[in-house]
Coordinates of all heavy atoms in Angstrom, one line a residue:
M257 N 13.5 -10.6 -11.5 CA 12.3 -11.0 -10.8 C 11.4 -9.8 -10.5 O 11.9 -8.7 -10.2 CB 12.8 -11.6 -9.4 CG 11.8 -12.3 -8.6 SD 12.4 -12.9 -7.1 CE 12.0 -11.6 -6.0
T258 N 10.2 -10.0 -10.7 CA 9.2 -8.9 -10.5 C 8.8 -8.8 -9.1 O 8.6 -9.8 -8.4 CB 7.9 -9.3 -11.3 OG1 8.3 -9.5 -12.7 CG2 6.9 -8.0 -11.3
T259 N 8.7 -7.6 -8.6 CA 8.3 -7.4 -7.2 C 6.8 -7.6 -7.1 O 6.1 -7.4 -8.1 CB 8.7 -6.0 -6.7 OG1 8.0 -5.0 -7.5 CG2 10.1 -5.8 -6.6
P260 N 6.3 -8.1 -5.9 CA 4.9 -8.1 -5.8 C 4.1 -6.8 -5.9 O 4.7 -5.8 -5.7 CB 4.7 -8.7 -4.3 CG 6.1 -9.3 -4.0 CD 7.0 -8.4 -4.7
I261 N 2.9 -7.0 -6.2 CA 2.0 -5.7 -6.3 C 1.3 -5.6 -5.0 O 0.7 -6.5 -4.4 CB 1.1 -5.9 -7.4 CG1 1.8 -6.0 -8.8 CG2 0.0 -4.8 -7.5 CD1 1.0 -6.5 -9.9
V262 N 1.3 -4.4 -4.5 CA 0.4 -4.0 -3.3 C -0.7 -3.1 -3.7 O -0.4 -2.1 -4.4 CB 1.4 -3.4 -2.2 CG1 0.6 -3.1 -1.0 CG2 2.5 -4.3 -1.8
Y263 N -1.8 -3.4 -3.3 CA -3.0 -2.4 -3.5 C -4.0 -2.5 -2.3 O -3.9 -3.3 -1.5 CB -3.7 -2.8 -4.9 CG -4.3 -4.1 -4.9 CD1 -5.7 -4.3 -4.6 CD2 -3.6 -5.2 -5.2 CE1 -6.3 -5.5 -4.8 CE2 -4.2 -6.5 -5.3 CZ -5.5 -6.6 -5.0 OH -6.1 -7.9 -5.1
I264 N -4.8 -1.4 -2.3 CA -5.7 -1.3 -1.2 C -7.1 -1.2 -1.8 O -7.4 -0.4 -2.6 CB -5.5 0.1 -0.5 CG1 -4.0 0.1 0.0 CG2 -6.4 0.2 0.7 CD1 -3.6 1.5 0.6
E265 N -7.9 -2.2 -1.4 CA -9.3 -2.3 -1.8 C -10.2 -1.2 -1.1 O -9.7 -0.6 -0.1 CB -9.8 -3.6 -1.5 CG -9.2 -4.7 -2.4 CD -9.8 -6.1 -2.0 OE1 -10.3 -6.3 -1.0 OE2 -9.7 -7.0 -3.0
P266 N -11.3 -0.9 -1.7 CA -12.2 0.1 -0.9 C -12.5 -0.4 0.5 O -12.6 -1.6 0.6 CB -13.4 0.1 -1.9 CG -13.0 -0.2 -3.2 CD -11.9 -1.3 -2.9
G267 N -12.8 0.5 1.3 CA -13.3 0.1 2.7 C -12.4 0.6 3.8 O -12.6 0.2 5.0
C268 N -11.5 1.5 3.5 CA -10.5 2.0 4.5 C -11.3 2.7 5.6 O -12.2 3.6 5.3 CB -9.5 3.0 3.8 SG -8.4 3.7 4.9
I269 N -11.0 2.4 6.8 CA -11.7 3.0 8.0 C -10.8 4.1 8.7 O -11.0 4.5 9.8 CB -12.2 2.0 9.0 CG1 -11.0 1.2 9.6 CG2 -13.2 1.1 8.4 CD1 -11.2 0.3 10.7
Y270 N -9.8 4.5 7.9 CA -9.0 5.7 8.3 C -8.2 5.5 9.6 O -8.0 6.5 10.4 CB -9.8 6.9 8.5 CG -11.1 7.0 7.5 CD1 -12.3 7.2 8.0 CD2 -10.9 6.9 6.1 CE1 -13.4 7.2 7.2 CE2 -12.0 7.0 5.3 CZ -13.2 7.1 5.8 OH -14.3 7.1 5.0
C271 N -7.8 4.3 9.9 CA -7.1 4.1 11.2 C -5.7 4.5 11.1 O -5.0 4.7 12.2 CB -7.3 2.6 11.6 SG -6.2 1.5 10.7
Q272 N -5.1 4.5 10.0 CA -3.7 4.9 9.8 C -2.6 4.0 10.3 O -1.5 4.3 10.3 CB -3.5 6.3 10.3 CG -4.4 7.4 9.7 CD -4.0 8.8 10.0 OE1 -2.8 9.1 10.0 NE2 -4.9 9.7 10.2
A273 N -3.1 2.8 10.6 CA -2.1 1.8 11.1 C -1.0 1.5 10.1 O 0.1 1.3 10.4 CB -2.8 0.5 11.5
C274 N -1.4 1.3 8.8 CA -0.5 1.0 7.7 C 0.6 2.0 7.6 O 1.7 1.8 7.3 CB -1.2 0.7 6.5 SG -2.2 2.0 5.9
V275 N 0.2 3.3 7.7 CA 1.1 4.4 7.6 C 2.2 4.4 8.7 O 3.3 4.7 8.5 CB 0.3 5.8 7.5 CG1 1.2 6.9 7.3 CG2 -0.8 5.7 6.5
T276 N 1.7 4.0 9.9 CA 2.6 3.9 11.0 C 3.6 2.7 10.8 O 4.8 2.9 11.1 CB 1.8 3.7 12.3 OG1 0.9 4.8 12.5 CG2 2.7 3.7 13.5
T277 N 3.1 1.7 10.3 CA 3.9 0.4 10.2 C 4.9 0.5 9.0 O 6.1 0.1 9.1 CB 3.0 -0.8 10.0 OG1 2.1 -0.9 11.1 CG2 3.8 -2.1 9.9
A278 N 4.4 1.0 7.8 CA 5.3 1.1 6.7 C 5.1 2.4 6.0 O 4.5 2.5 4.9 CB 4.9 -0.1 5.7
P279 N 5.7 3.4 6.6 CA 5.4 4.8 6.1 C 6.1 5.1 4.8 O 5.8 6.1 4.0 CB 6.1 5.7 7.2 CG 7.0 4.8 7.9 CD 6.5 3.5 7.8
E280 N 7.1 4.2 4.3 CA 7.7 4.4 3.0 C 6.7 4.1 1.9 O 6.9 4.6 0.8 CB 8.9 3.4 3.0 CG 9.7 3.5 1.7 CD 10.9 2.5 1.8 OE1 10.7 1.4 2.3 OE2 11.9 2.8 1.3
V281 N 5.8 3.2 2.2 CA 4.8 2.8 1.1 C 3.4 3.3 1.2 O 2.8 3.7 0.3 CB 4.8 1.2 1.2 CG1 3.7 0.7 0.3 CG2 6.1 0.6 0.8
F282 N 2.9 3.5 2.5 CA 1.6 3.9 2.7 C 1.5 5.4 3.1 O 2.3 5.8 4.0 CB 0.9 3.0 3.7 CG 0.8 1.6 3.3 CD1 1.8 0.7 3.8 CD2 -0.2 1.1 2.5 CE1 1.7 -0.6 3.4 CE2 -0.2 -0.2 2.1 CZ 0.7 -1.1 2.5
L283 N 0.6 6.1 2.5 CA 0.4 7.5 2.8 C -1.1 7.7 3.2 O -1.9 6.9 2.7 CB 0.7 8.4 1.6 CG 2.2 8.4 1.1 CD1 2.3 9.3 -0.1 CD2 3.1 8.9 2.2
F284 N -1.3 8.7 3.9 CA -2.7 9.1 4.2 C -3.0 10.5 4.0 O -3.0 11.4 4.9 CB -2.9 8.7 5.7 CG -4.4 8.5 6.1 CD1 -5.0 7.3 5.9 CD2 -5.1 9.6 6.5 CE1 -6.4 7.2 6.2 CE2 -6.5 9.4 6.8 CZ -7.1 8.2 6.7
P285 N -3.0 10.9 2.7 CA -3.1 12.3 2.3 C -4.4 13.0 2.6 O -4.5 14.2 2.6 CB -2.7 12.4 0.8 CG -3.2 11.0 0.3 CD -3.0 10.0 1.5
D286 N -5.5 12.2 2.5 CA -6.8 12.8 2.6 C -7.7 12.0 3.5 O -7.7 12.0 4.7 CB -7.3 13.0 1.1 CG -8.4 13.8 1.0 OD1 -8.9 14.4 2.0 OD2 -9.0 14.1 -0.1
D287 N -8.6 11.2 2.8 CA -9.6 10.4 3.6 C -9.5 8.9 3.5 O -10.3 8.1 3.9 CB -11.0 10.9 3.2 CG -11.3 10.6 1.8 OD1 -10.3 10.2 1.0 OD2 -12.4 10.7 1.3
K288 N -8.3 8.5 2.9 CA -8.1 7.1 2.7 C -6.6 6.8 2.4 O -5.9 7.7 2.0 CB -8.9 6.4 1.6 CG -8.6 6.9 0.3 CD -9.4 6.2 -0.8 CE -9.1 6.6 -2.2 NZ -9.6 7.9 -2.6
A289 N -6.2 5.6 2.9 CA -4.8 5.3 2.7 C -4.5 5.0 1.2 O -5.4 4.5 0.5 CB -4.4 4.0 3.5
V290 N -3.3 5.3 0.7 CA -2.9 5.2 -0.7 C -1.4 4.6 -0.7 O -0.7 4.7 0.3 CB -3.0 6.4 -1.5 CG1 -4.4 6.9 -1.6 CG2 -2.1 7.5 -0.9
I291 N -1.0 4.2 -1.9 CA 0.3 3.7 -2.1 C 1.1 4.9 -2.6 O 0.7 5.5 -3.6 CB 0.4 2.5 -3.0 CG1 -0.6 1.4 -2.6 CG2 1.8 2.0 -3.1 CD1 -0.3 0.7 -1.3
N292 N 2.2 5.1 -2.0 CA 3.1 6.2 -2.4 C 3.6 6.1 -3.8 O 4.2 5.1 -4.1 CB 4.2 6.4 -1.4 CG 5.1 7.6 -1.6 OD1 5.0 8.3 -2.6 ND2 5.9 7.9 -0.6
G293 N 3.4 7.1 -4.7 CA 3.9 7.0 -6.1 C 5.5 6.9 -6.1 O 6.0 6.4 -7.1
L294 N 6.1 7.3 -5.1 CA 7.5 7.2 -5.1 C 8.1 5.8 -5.0 O 9.3 5.6 -5.3 CB 8.2 8.1 -3.9 CG 7.9 9.6 -4.0 CD1 8.5 10.2 -2.7 CD2 8.6 10.2 -5.2
V295 N 7.3 4.9 -4.6 CA 7.8 3.5 -4.5 C 7.0 2.6 -5.6 O 7.1 1.4 -5.5 CB 7.6 2.9 -3.2 CG1 8.3 3.6 -2.1 CG2 6.1 2.8 -2.7
R296 N 6.3 3.3 -6.5 CA 5.7 2.5 -7.6 C 6.4 2.8 -8.9 O 6.8 3.9 -9.2 CB 4.2 3.0 -7.7 CG 3.4 2.5 -6.6 CD 2.0 3.2 -6.6 NE 1.3 3.1 -7.9 CZ 0.0 3.4 -8.0 NH1 -0.7 3.7 -6.9 NH2 -0.6 3.3 -9.2
V297 N 6.4 1.8 -9.8 CA 7.1 2.0 -11.0 C 6.4 3.0 -12.0 O 7.0 3.6 -12.8 CB 7.3 0.6 -11.8 CG1 8.2 -0.3 -10.9 CG2 6.0 -0.1 -12.1
D298 N 5.0 3.1 -11.7 CA 4.3 4.1 -12.5 C 4.2 5.5 -11.9 O 3.8 6.5 -12.6 CB 2.9 3.6 -12.9 CG 2.0 3.5 -11.6 OD1 2.5 3.8 -10.5 OD2 0.8 3.2 -11.7
G299 N 4.8 5.7 -10.7 CA 4.9 7.0 -10.1 C 3.6 7.6 -9.6 O 3.5 8.7 -9.2
I300 N 2.5 6.8 -9.7 CA 1.2 7.4 -9.3 C 0.9 7.1 -7.9 O 1.2 6.0 -7.3 CB 0.0 6.7 -10.2 CG1 0.3 7.1 -11.7 CG2 -1.3 7.2 -9.7 CD1 -0.7 6.3 -12.7
T301 N 0.4 8.1 -7.1 CA 0.0 7.9 -5.8 C -1.5 7.7 -5.8 O -2.3 8.6 -6.1 CB 0.3 9.1 -4.9 OG1 1.8 9.3 -4.8 CG2 -0.2 9.0 -3.5
S302 N -1.9 6.5 -5.4 CA -3.3 6.0 -5.4 C -3.4 4.7 -4.7 O -2.4 4.1 -4.3 CB -3.9 5.9 -6.8 OG -3.5 4.7 -7.3
P303 N -4.7 4.2 -4.4 CA -4.8 2.9 -3.8 C -4.1 1.8 -4.6 O -3.9 0.7 -4.2 CB -6.3 2.8 -3.6 CG -6.8 4.1 -3.5 CD -6.0 4.9 -4.5
N304 N -4.0 2.0 -5.9 CA -3.3 1.0 -6.8 C -4.2 -0.1 -7.1 O -3.8 -1.1 -7.6 CB -2.0 0.5 -6.3 CG -1.0 0.0 -7.3 OD1 -1.2 0.3 -8.5 ND2 -0.2 -0.9 -6.9
A305 N -5.5 0.0 -6.8 CA -6.5 -1.0 -7.0 C -6.8 -1.2 -8.5 O -7.0 -2.3 -9.0 CB -7.8 -0.9 -6.2
D306 N -6.7 -0.1 -9.2 CA -7.0 0.0 -10.6 C -5.8 -0.3 -11.5 O -5.7 -1.1 -12.3 CB -7.7 1.3 -11.0 CG -9.0 1.5 -10.5 OD1 -9.7 0.5 -10.2 OD2 -9.4 2.6 -10.2
E307 N -4.7 0.5 -11.1 CA -3.5 0.3 -11.9 C -2.7 -1.0 -11.7 O -2.1 -1.5 -12.6 CB -2.5 1.5 -11.6 CG -3.1 2.9 -11.8 CD -3.9 3.4 -10.5 OE1 -4.0 2.7 -9.5 OE2 -4.3 4.6 -10.5
R308 N -2.7 -1.5 -10.4 CA -2.0 -2.7 -10.0 C -0.5 -2.6 -10.5 O 0.1 -3.5 -11.1 CB -2.6 -3.9 -10.7 CG -4.0 -4.2 -10.3 CD -4.2 -4.7 -8.9 NE -5.5 -4.8 -8.5 CZ -6.2 -5.9 -8.5 NH1 -5.7 -7.0 -8.8 NH2 -7.5 -6.0 -8.1
A309 N 0.2 -1.4 -10.3 CA 1.5 -1.2 -10.7 C 2.4 -1.9 -9.6 O 2.1 -2.0 -8.5 CB 1.9 0.3 -10.6
A310 N 3.5 -2.4 -10.2 CA 4.5 -3.1 -9.3 C 5.2 -2.0 -8.5 O 5.3 -0.8 -8.8 CB 5.5 -3.7 -10.2
L311 N 5.9 -2.5 -7.4 CA 6.6 -1.6 -6.6 C 8.1 -1.6 -7.0 O 8.5 -2.6 -7.6 CB 6.5 -2.0 -5.1 CG 5.1 -1.9 -4.5 CD1 5.2 -2.0 -3.0 CD2 4.4 -0.7 -4.9
V312 N 8.8 -0.6 -6.7 CA 10.3 -0.6 -6.9 C 11.0 -1.6 -6.1 O 10.5 -2.0 -5.1 CB 10.8 0.8 -6.7 CG1 10.1 1.8 -7.6 CG2 10.7 1.2 -5.2
P313 N 12.2 -2.0 -6.5 CA 13.0 -3.0 -5.7 C 13.4 -2.4 -4.3 O 13.4 -1.2 -4.1 CB 14.2 -3.2 -6.6 CG 13.8 -2.8 -8.0 CD 12.8 -1.6 -7.7
D314 N 13.9 -3.3 -3.5 CA 14.6 -3.0 -2.2 C 13.7 -2.2 -1.2 O 14.2 -1.4 -0.5 CB 15.8 -2.2 -2.6 CG 16.8 -2.9 -3.5 OD1 16.9 -4.1 -3.4 OD2 17.5 -2.2 -4.3
L315 N 12.5 -2.6 -1.1 CA 11.6 -2.1 -0.1 C 11.6 -3.0 1.1 O 12.1 -4.1 1.0 CB 10.2 -1.9 -0.6 CG 10.0 -0.9 -1.8 CD1 8.6 -1.0 -2.3 CD2 10.3 0.5 -1.3
D316 N 11.1 -2.5 2.2 CA 11.1 -3.3 3.4 C 9.9 -4.2 3.4 O 8.8 -3.8 3.9 CB 11.1 -2.4 4.7 CG 11.1 -3.1 6.0 OD1 11.0 -4.3 6.0 OD2 11.3 -2.5 7.0
W317 N 10.0 -5.3 2.9 CA 8.8 -6.2 2.7 C 8.3 -6.8 4.0 O 7.1 -7.2 4.1 CB 9.1 -7.3 1.7 CG 9.0 -6.8 0.3 CD1 9.9 -6.3 -0.5 CD2 7.7 -6.5 -0.4 NE1 9.5 -5.7 -1.6 CE2 8.1 -5.9 -1.6 CE3 6.4 -6.8 -0.1 CZ2 7.2 -5.5 -2.6 CZ3 5.4 -6.4 -1.1 CH2 5.8 -5.8 -2.2
D318 N 9.2 -6.9 5.0 CA 8.7 -7.3 6.3 C 7.7 -6.3 6.8 O 6.6 -6.6 7.3 CB 9.8 -7.4 7.3 CG 10.7 -8.7 7.1 OD1 10.2 -9.6 6.3 OD2 11.8 -8.7 7.6
A319 N 8.0 -5.0 6.7 CA 7.1 -3.9 7.1 C 5.7 -3.9 6.3 O 4.7 -3.7 6.8 CB 7.8 -2.6 7.1
I320 N 5.9 -4.2 5.0 CA 4.8 -4.1 4.1 C 3.8 -5.3 4.5 O 2.6 -5.0 4.6 CB 5.2 -4.2 2.6 CG1 6.0 -3.0 2.3 CG2 4.0 -4.4 1.8 CD1 6.6 -3.0 0.9
R321 N 4.4 -6.4 4.7 CA 3.5 -7.6 5.1 C 2.9 -7.4 6.4 O 1.8 -7.8 6.7 CB 4.4 -8.9 5.0 CG 4.7 -9.2 3.6 CD 5.4 -10.7 3.5 NE 5.7 -11.0 2.1 CZ 6.9 -10.8 1.7 NH1 7.9 -10.2 2.3 NH2 7.2 -11.1 0.4
E322 N 3.7 -6.8 7.3 CA 3.2 -6.5 8.7 C 1.9 -5.5 8.6 O 1.0 -5.6 9.3 CB 4.2 -5.9 9.6 CG 3.8 -5.7 11.0 CD 4.9 -5.1 11.8 OE1 6.2 -5.3 11.5 OE2 4.6 -4.5 12.9
A323 N 2.1 -4.5 7.7 CA 1.1 -3.5 7.5 C -0.2 -4.2 7.0 O -1.3 -4.0 7.4 CB 1.5 -2.4 6.6
A324 N 0.0 -5.1 6.0 CA -1.1 -5.8 5.4 C -1.8 -6.7 6.4 O -3.1 -6.7 6.5 CB -0.7 -6.6 4.2
A325 N -1.0 -7.4 7.2 CA -1.6 -8.3 8.3 C -2.3 -7.5 9.3 O -3.3 -8.0 10.0 CB -0.4 -9.1 8.8
G326 N -1.9 -6.3 9.6 CA -2.4 -5.4 10.6 C -3.6 -4.6 10.3 O -4.2 -4.0 11.1
C327 N -3.9 -4.6 9.0 CA -5.1 -3.8 8.6 C -6.4 -4.4 9.2 O -6.7 -5.6 9.0 CB -5.2 -3.7 7.1 SG -6.7 -2.8 6.5
P328 N -7.1 -3.6 10.0 CA -8.2 -4.2 10.7 C -9.4 -4.6 9.8 O -10.3 -5.3 10.3 CB -8.7 -3.1 11.7 CG -8.1 -1.9 11.1 CD -6.9 -2.2 10.4
V329 N -9.5 -4.1 8.6 CA -10.5 -4.5 7.7 C -10.0 -5.4 6.5 O -10.7 -5.6 5.5 CB -11.3 -3.3 7.2 CG1 -12.2 -2.7 8.3 CG2 -10.4 -2.2 6.7
D330 N -8.7 -5.7 6.6 CA -8.2 -6.7 5.6 C -8.3 -6.3 4.2 O -8.7 -7.0 3.4 CB -8.7 -8.1 5.9 CG -7.9 -9.1 5.2 OD1 -6.7 -8.9 5.0 OD2 -8.5 -10.2 4.9
I331 N -8.0 -5.0 3.9 CA -8.1 -4.5 2.5 C -6.8 -4.3 1.8 O -6.8 -3.9 0.6 CB -9.0 -3.2 2.5 CG1 -8.5 -2.1 3.3 CG2 -10.4 -3.6 2.8 CD1 -9.1 -0.8 3.1
I332 N -5.7 -4.5 2.6 CA -4.4 -4.3 1.9 C -4.0 -5.7 1.3 O -3.9 -6.7 2.0 CB -3.4 -3.9 2.9 CG1 -3.7 -2.4 3.5 CG2 -2.0 -3.8 2.2 CD1 -2.7 -2.0 4.6
K333 N -3.8 -5.7 0.0 CA -3.6 -6.9 -0.7 C -2.2 -7.0 -1.3 O -1.7 -6.0 -1.9 CB -4.6 -7.2 -1.8 CG -6.1 -7.1 -1.3 CD -6.4 -8.2 -0.3 CE -7.8 -8.1 0.2 NZ -8.1 -9.1 1.2
I334 N -1.6 -8.1 -1.2 CA -0.3 -8.3 -1.8 C -0.5 -9.4 -2.9 O -0.9 -10.6 -2.5 CB 0.8 -8.7 -0.8 CG1 0.9 -7.7 0.2 CG2 2.2 -9.0 -1.5 CD1 1.9 -7.9 1.3
A335 N -0.2 -9.1 -4.1 CA -0.5 -10.1 -5.2 C 0.9 -10.4 -5.9 O 1.7 -9.6 -6.0 CB -1.5 -9.5 -6.2
Ligands
SF4_637 S1 -4.6 -0.2 8.0 FE1 -6.3 -0.5 6.6 S2 -8.1 0.6 7.4 FE2 -6.2 1.4 8.4 S3 -5.6 3.3 7.2 FE3 -4.5 1.4 6.3 S4 -5.8 0.6 4.7 FE4 -7.0 2.0 5.9

């Protein structure tokens, strides 16, 4: 079974809520949230909006979904 893809569309307002909710997946290294390459099959740390890389198995999907639902500008997408 393929794991869902998580990506972040442009428009991050730097609130860091996703990093607090799901720190295993979301990082805030500079001026916008990104998906940690350590939990991506391609190993790239970026918003994943272009690559659309799958995530590795056995992540905390409750936390990931909570982070997506809690984004105040609704730009965290699960596909
Ligand atoms: S919750 Fe949304 S707006 Fe806030 S840092 Fe994460 S992606 Fe950016």
Side-chain angles (χ1 to χ4, degrees):
M257 191 177 95
T258 308
T259 57
I261 295 166
V262 180
Y263 62 97
I264 306 170
E265 293 181 333
C268 180
I269 59 168
Y270 330 123
C271 76
Q272 304 195 38
C274 57
V275 182
T276 302
T277 304
E280 183 180 33
V281 171
F282 299 97
L283 298 176
F284 200 85
D286 195 358
D287 63 350
K288 62 178 183 281
V290 295
I291 310 293
N292 189 347
L294 293 176
V295 299
R296 289 171 49 167
V297 297
D298 65 356
I300 297 171
T301 296
S302 79
N304 202 25
D306 294 330
E307 301 91 349
R308 302 284 177 102
L311 300 190
V312 299
D314 301 325
L315 296 174
D316 183 350
W317 281 95
D318 287 342
I320 296 169
R321 290 191 182 92
E322 184 181 339
C327 176
V329 287
D330 195 26
I331 58 170
I332 299 175
K333 304 298 180 184
I334 300 175

